[in-house]
């Protein structure tokens, strides 16, 4: 599903190139659950951003579902966001002025899903994540774990084939974190959704089936769990 | 999607109530000023558009220098009545040509008496010839165009006047008695028609049009002229250029023929830049091109500028607050982008938000307009209405356009900034680069303050000029002096002189409120000098209380004074001779030569507004002041107790002229009327500046709140590092202070140029003062510091822990 060939990323500062990613080459197949690990500043987020087409690599090629997406025009990228990619963030990033229901609905609106279909999908998700009672609340009325559940529900609403999650449990207590990880595992196993997450915790990484170790922008290890 | 966006927009407004209120309130005020101006412009634009027929109607204008405030030639609408026949005979397309009285605002009206009722004064009763209604297409309720003025001694009333006089519009054949001046025996007129008030205002406005017969003929004596207005209705579309060419040729030919009969040398008459001229002006153009006074368009120019600026100030507030707030919206943008929203959708969303605010502002504005309209109407002496406007549809269209423009102006830039946020920087968490747009925001703040500071300076200078003008020596004593609107008559004057407390009864052709200037050329030591002449009665100069600078003024003891003695004013002395007393000069006409002797010089006295220079003038007494029939009788009182004396004068009047009520003005009122327009303008500037300055400050206040908030973390860190409160306040103040100072530097030359232009319109003016410039700068800086400091203090005194904990 994903092919990275010789990806490099650097920032030129006063003529000095500071490398963030070097020679990253890897393949991620449909249905994998990959955890990216490494020390702070290693370039994990940068790699995930490149995978999510939020940033462009300075060098190398990136193929997504057989298509070269190394540098993509805006319309094409938005097309991928609407149909194939779901994001989950460490800081949840729910829209404060929208209720739980509306937050989950937003991607469906952009995807121009009909209203009946929308209602049934949202009802389904609310039900599945046990947050039906919270649907008319605003994000600031929820706990962190609940907010992340909404975040994931939102990412799933458009029925993406891949979820990219940057430290999704970084702001959560371990009990809540566990709940989220179990959810990811279930989504991966039962629905066949590809998941790529960045995490600091060995324990969280265990939920997946492959771990990429990164240090100083270089892939140091690639382990199947 | 639309519904959701609207919901979000509403929640955002609600969350930031204070800023939203400032935004919307400010915008509503700016819009209100603008809409009032639009209403006014629409009103003025709508003149003479009540019938499609009017596009074929032309006003005839003649170039001459009679009755002008500056004694120079103008294209005047008061023309020789002979022009009507001239047009009719020489322009084949002229279907109908009419002669009608011009309006004279010194006229208090005519006395109209219906059977045994008390006489009432009615203004705008105009005399015309039989063609009036063939030229002006009015809608008859009673009677019709053909029969209305067919026979002399007929009168056509406006609907409202018919109701006022008779209580009904069914008045055909009824008679009324019209008394035109106080000892006019009066004439019986028969009502032959009633017309509806047209939909739009009219240049030839009237309450009644009568045909007394006066306007049917031109004077027999070739040297005499009757001045009136002439309008012609042409057949079909005319090329106005060739029409005017023909008129000019015909006019020059006629003038030459007439001069030949009067034995006047044509080339002698038209010299020193004087040229003959006759032309036709389409009625639609007449209102916008008055003969002598400034047109409404010129008068309105500064107001248009001011209201646009006011609107801009409020729009800038909007933009600044919206971009400053954008930091808070960055996350939303980033998230939406990764959820699959494109830039276009985001742009639409944010534009929708500003549209929502504009709509609320517009709604408030309509309410505000309704509230202030009565005061506005009274102040500007107009009758504007919003809902009952005949051009309501046009107004609504304009409002919709205004809404679109304001929404785009206010919303486009912030929306564009917002929708361009890069999702990565947002999602990485460092969206504190809300610094985006800072440069533009600073430019806008500077621009706003430039407007405000310029306004403050303008107020200062205007205040000083107004004070100068109101304290200026008028050259005559305006207290205890009234002017009765009537012609001087010796017998009646004698009766008034007997009333205790009356010091002088006199007449003059030139007094503040009603001045007629008549040009004359004199020959002094072989030099030809153009001067203005005024006819006075023997004690008019005493009655006015003028100051004698050299020689003497007229007195009964001197027999010569009713023959060839003249008094001149200082301006005339400057042109004639430094010591003119006793000197002789000549006035030549074709055959004869008259010699006059100058017996005294008086200080210049004012009889027009201060924008006009006092003309170099010669004062002459004719015996009994008989030829100075310009409706002025000056009454100078001995005592302050004028009310009682005026009552006695009125009693005398009633005995002498029972059919015509007396009407007078005090000189104080005349002066106020002259100053009125300027004061009105000044009031408006003060009002608009106050609004503009408060809006700018509100904007600055809100903006500094945001900036202080954005910098909370910086402030907290600095405090932890040991910065004192005042150091932090200074830190926050500095950035704004620089902007305000830059704004001041920019405003100075702008204000200087604009105000100089305004001052230059006054013949009597102060030198450009420095004080208002300094005051404006000090005031703007002080207020800005105060405003920002309030916010800065709040930030500075906040517990640093709270700020750092929530990062
Ligand atoms: N815009 C940028 N300019 C320069 N350096 C950057 C920029 N963004 C990130 N970096 C650097 O790239 C490195 C990797 O960052 P990141 O991928 O966020 O690391 P992490 O593995 O902690 O997620 C860091 O050292 C960071 O300082
Ligand atoms: Mg990271």
């Amino acid at each position: 599903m994903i092919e990275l060939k010789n990806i490099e990323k650097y920032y030129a500062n006063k003529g000095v190139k500071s490398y963030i990613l070097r020679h990253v080459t890897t393949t991620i197949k449909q249905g994998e659950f990959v955890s990216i690990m490494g020390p702070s500043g290693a370039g994990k987020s940068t790699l995930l951003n490149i995978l999510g087409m939020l940033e462009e690599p300075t060098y190398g090629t990136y193929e997504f579902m057989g298509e070269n997406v190394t540098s993509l025009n805006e319309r094409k990228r938005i097309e991928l966001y609407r149909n194939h990619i779901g994001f989950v963030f460490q800081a949840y990033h729910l829209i404060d002025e929208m209720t739980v229901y509306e937050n989950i609905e937003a991607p469906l609106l952009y995807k121009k899903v009909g209203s009946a279909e929308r209602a049934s999908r949202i009802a389904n998700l609310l039900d599945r994540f046990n947050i039906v009672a919270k649907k008319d609340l605003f994000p600031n009325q929820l706990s962190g774990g609940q907010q992340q559940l909404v975040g994931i529900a939102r990412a799933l609403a458009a029925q993406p084939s891949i979820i990219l999650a940057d430290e999704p449990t970084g702001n959560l207590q371990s009990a809540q974190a566990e709940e989220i990880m179990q959810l990811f595992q279930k989504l991966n196993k039962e629905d066949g959704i590809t998941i790529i997450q960045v995490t600091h915790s060995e324990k969280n990484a265990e939920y997946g089936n492959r771990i990429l170790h990164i240090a100083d922008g270089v892939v140091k290890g690639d382990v199947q769990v | 999607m639309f519904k959701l966006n609207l919901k979000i927009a509403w929640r955002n407004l609600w969350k930031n109530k204070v800023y939203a209120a400032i935004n919307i309130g400010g915008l509503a005020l700016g819009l209100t000023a603008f809409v009032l101006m639009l209403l006014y412009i629409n009103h003025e634009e709508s003149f003479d558009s009540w019938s499609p027929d009017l596009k074929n109607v032309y006003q005839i204008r003649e170039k001459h220098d009679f009755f002008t405030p500056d004694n120079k030639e103008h294209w005047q609408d008061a023309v020789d009545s002979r022009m009507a026949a001239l047009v009719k005979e020489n322009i084949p397309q002229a279907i109908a040509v009419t002669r009608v009285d011009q309006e004279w605002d010194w006229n208090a009206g005519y006395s109209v008496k219906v059977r045994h009722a008390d006489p009432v004064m009615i203004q705008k009763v105009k005399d015309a010839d039989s063609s009036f209604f063939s030229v002006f297409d009015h809608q008859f309720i009673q009677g019709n165009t053909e029969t209305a003025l067919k026979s002399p001694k007929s009168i056509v009333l406006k609907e409202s006047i018919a109701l006022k006089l008779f209580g009904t519009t069914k008045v055909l054949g009824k008679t009324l008695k019209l008394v035109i001046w106080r000892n006019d025996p009066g004439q019986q007129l028969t009502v032959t028609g009633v017309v509806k008030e047209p939909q739009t205002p009219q240049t030839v406005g009237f309450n009644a049009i009568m045909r007394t017969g006066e306007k049917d003929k031109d004077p027999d004596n070739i040297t005499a002229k009757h001045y009136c207005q002439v309008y012609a209705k042409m057949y079909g579309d005319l090329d106005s250029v060739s029409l005017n060419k023909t008129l000019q040729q015909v006019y020059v030919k006629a003038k030459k023929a007439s001069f030949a009969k009067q034995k006047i040398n044509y080339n002698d008459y038209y010299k020193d830049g004087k040229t003959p001229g006759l032309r036709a002006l389409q009625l639609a153009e007449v209102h916008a091109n008055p003969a002598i006074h400034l047109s409404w368009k010129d008068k309105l120019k500064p107001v248009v500028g001011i209201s646009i600026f006011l609107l801009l100030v409020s729009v800038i507030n909007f933009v600044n607050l919206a971009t400053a707030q954008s930091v808070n919206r960055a996350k939303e943008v980033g998230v939406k982008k990764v959820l699959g929203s494109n830039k276009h959708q985001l742009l639409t969303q944010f534009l929708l938000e500003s549209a929502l605010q504009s709509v609320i502002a517009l709604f408030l504005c309509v309410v505000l307009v309704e509230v202030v309209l009565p005061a506005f109407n009274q102040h500007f002496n107009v009758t504007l209405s919003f809902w009952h406007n005949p051009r309501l549809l046009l107004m609504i269209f304009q409002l919709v356009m205004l809404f679109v423009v304001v929404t785009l102006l206010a919303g486009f830039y912030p929306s564009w900034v917002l929708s361009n946020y890069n999702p990565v920087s947002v999602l990485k968490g460092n969206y504190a680069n809300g610094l985006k747009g800072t440069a533009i925001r600073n430019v806008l703040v500077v621009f706003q303050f430039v407007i405000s500071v310029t306004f403050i300076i303008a107020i200062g200078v205007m205040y000083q000029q107004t004070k100068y003008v109101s304290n200026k020596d008028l050259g005559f004593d305006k207290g205890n002096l009234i002017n009765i609107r009537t012609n001087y008559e010796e017998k009646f004057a004698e009766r008034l002189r007997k009333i205790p407390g009356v010091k002088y009864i006199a007449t003059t052709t030139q007094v503040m409120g009603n001045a007629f200037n008549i040009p004359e050329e004199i020959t002094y030591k072989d030099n030809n000098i153009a001067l203005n002449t005024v006819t006075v009665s023997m004690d008019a100069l005493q009655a006015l209380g003028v100051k004698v600078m050299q020689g003497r003024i007229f007195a009964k003891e001197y027999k010569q004074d009713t023959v060839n003695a003249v008094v001149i004013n200082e301006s005339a002395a400057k042109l004639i001779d430094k010591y003119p007393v006793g000197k002789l000069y000549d006035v030549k006409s074709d055959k004869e030569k008259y010699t006059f002797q100058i017996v005294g010089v008086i200080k210049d006295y004012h009889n027009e507004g201060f924008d006009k220079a006092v003309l170099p003038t010669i004062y002459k007494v004719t015996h009994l002041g008989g030829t100075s029939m310009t409706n002025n009788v000056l009454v100078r009182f001995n005592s302050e107790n004028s009310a009682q004396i005026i009552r006695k004068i009125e009693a005398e009047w009633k005995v002498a002229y029972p059919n015509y009520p007396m009407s007078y003005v005090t000189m104080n009122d005349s002066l106020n009327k002259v100053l009125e327009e300027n004061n009105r303008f000044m009031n408006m500037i003060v009002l608009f500046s106050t609004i503009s300055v408060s809006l700018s400050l509100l904007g600055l206040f809100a903006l500094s709140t945001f900036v202080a908030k954005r910098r909370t973390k910086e402030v907290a860190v600095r405090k932890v590092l040991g910065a004192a409160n005042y150091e932090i306040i200074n830190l926050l103040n500095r950035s704004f202070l620089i902007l305000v100072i830059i704004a001041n530097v920019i405003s100075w030359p702008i204000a200087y140029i604009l105000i100089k232009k305004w001052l230059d319109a006054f013949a009597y003016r102060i030198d450009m003062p420095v004080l208002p410039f300094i005051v404006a700068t000090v005031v703007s800086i002080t207020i800005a510091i105060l405003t920002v400091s309030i916010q800065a203090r709040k930030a500075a005194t906040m517990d640093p822990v709270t700020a750092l904990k929530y990062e």
Side-chain angles (χ1 to χ4, degrees), chain A residues 54 82 94 97 102 110, chain B residues 7 11 15 336 340 424:
Chain A
L54 293 167
R82 284 182 186 172
L94 300 178
E97 283 72 35
E102 288 160 356
Y110 293 124
Chain B
K7 246 198 269 179
R11 286 173 194 156
K15 205 166 97 184
K336 282 191 170 169
V424 185

Side-chain angles (χ1 to χ4, degrees), chain B residues 154-399:
Chain B
S154 54
I155 187 165
V156 173
L157 305 175
K158 275 264 173 78
E159 190 179 9
S160 56
I161 293 299
L163 289 173
K164 183 174 166 188
L165 290 175
F166 297 98
T168 165
T169 56
K170 297 211 165 64
V171 291
L172 283 194
K174 295 204 172 161
T175 59
L176 49 81
K177 189 178 174 191
L178 185 86
V179 179
I180 292 181
W181 72 92
R182 45 158 212 208
N183 47 2
D184 173 14
Q187 48 191 323
Q188 203 74 19
L189 298 176
T190 309
V191 180
T192 52
V194 176
V195 292
K196 247 194 149 67
E197 182 68 42
Q199 283 268 314
T200 65
Q202 309 117 57
T203 297
V204 190
F206 60 87
N207 279 319
I209 291 289
M210 57 183 175
R211 180 181 168 202
T212 61
E214 283 288 312
K215 286 279 175 296
D216 293 352
K217 52 187 192 297
D218 302 321
D220 295 328
N221 182 347
I222 194 148
T223 57
K225 279 179 192 168
H226 282 167
Y227 282 94
C228 63
Q229 291 187 327
V230 172
Y231 292 90
K233 185 175 189 170
M234 308 291 186
Y235 176 77
D237 291 329
L238 274 186
D239 173 25
S240 56
V241 177
S242 70
L243 171 66
N244 284 331
K245 219 160 129 190
T246 317
L247 283 176
Q248 181 72 15
Q249 283 164 0
V250 168
Y251 181 70
V252 169
K253 211 172 105 195
K255 266 290 178 210
K256 281 185 172 158
S258 160
F259 281 0
K261 275 188 207 157
Q262 295 176 65
K263 301 203 169 52
I264 300 173
N265 185 316
Y266 180 87
N267 293 326
D268 254 10
Y269 187 86
Y270 290 115
K271 59 178 182 195
D272 303 333
K274 246 169 92 167
T275 53
L278 188 74
R279 65 181 181 128
L281 194 63
Q282 226 170 3
L283 189 62
E285 318 255 301
V286 168
H287 182 66
N289 298 288
I292 289 170
H293 299 289
L294 224 50
S295 78
W296 67 266
K297 279 184 178 156
D298 289 329
K299 280 189 203 161
L300 208 62
K301 254 184 218 157
V303 185
V304 173
I306 292 166
S307 39
I308 288 178
F309 277 137
L310 194 57
L311 192 60
L312 273 185
V313 166
S314 49
V315 165
I316 288 176
N317 267 353
F318 202 106
V319 173
N320 279 347
L321 291 182
T323 52
Q325 243 181 310
S326 66
V327 185
N328 305 344
R329 306 293 298 275
K331 185 177 92 180
E332 183 183 335
V333 173
V335 171
K336 282 191 170 169
K337 278 196 170 175
V338 299
L339 291 182
S341 167
N342 58 30
K343 218 150 77 184
H344 170 77
Q345 282 167 318
L346 286 168
L347 199 66
T348 320
Q349 184 203 334
F350 291 117
L351 275 178
L352 180 74
E353 280 185 26
S354 56
L356 178 66
Q357 301 187 56
S358 311
V359 162
I360 302 175
L362 204 61
F363 178 76
L364 272 178
C365 149
V366 170
V367 174
L368 267 176
V369 165
E370 279 294 298
V371 171
V372 299
L373 207 51
F376 182 87
N377 277 337
Q378 201 190 0
H379 199 105
F380 293 97
N381 199 18
V382 283
T383 47
L384 305 181
S385 126
F386 186 78
W387 295 112
H388 303 289
N389 200 311
R391 298 175 143 202
L392 184 62
L393 271 180
L394 179 73
M395 275 304 298
I396 288 176
F397 173 73
Q398 285 169 340
L399 281 185

Side-chain angles (χ1 to χ4, degrees), chain A residues 44-45 166-167 198:
Chain A
K44 307 181 296 289
S45 297
D166 194 349
E167 302 191 37
V198 169

Side-chain angles (χ1 to χ4, degrees), chain A residues 207-220:
Chain A
Y207 284 91
N209 47 31
R210 180 178 166 193
I211 299 174
L212 283 177
H213 285 281
I214 295 188
D216 291 331
V218 180
V219 180
K220 292 272 156 86

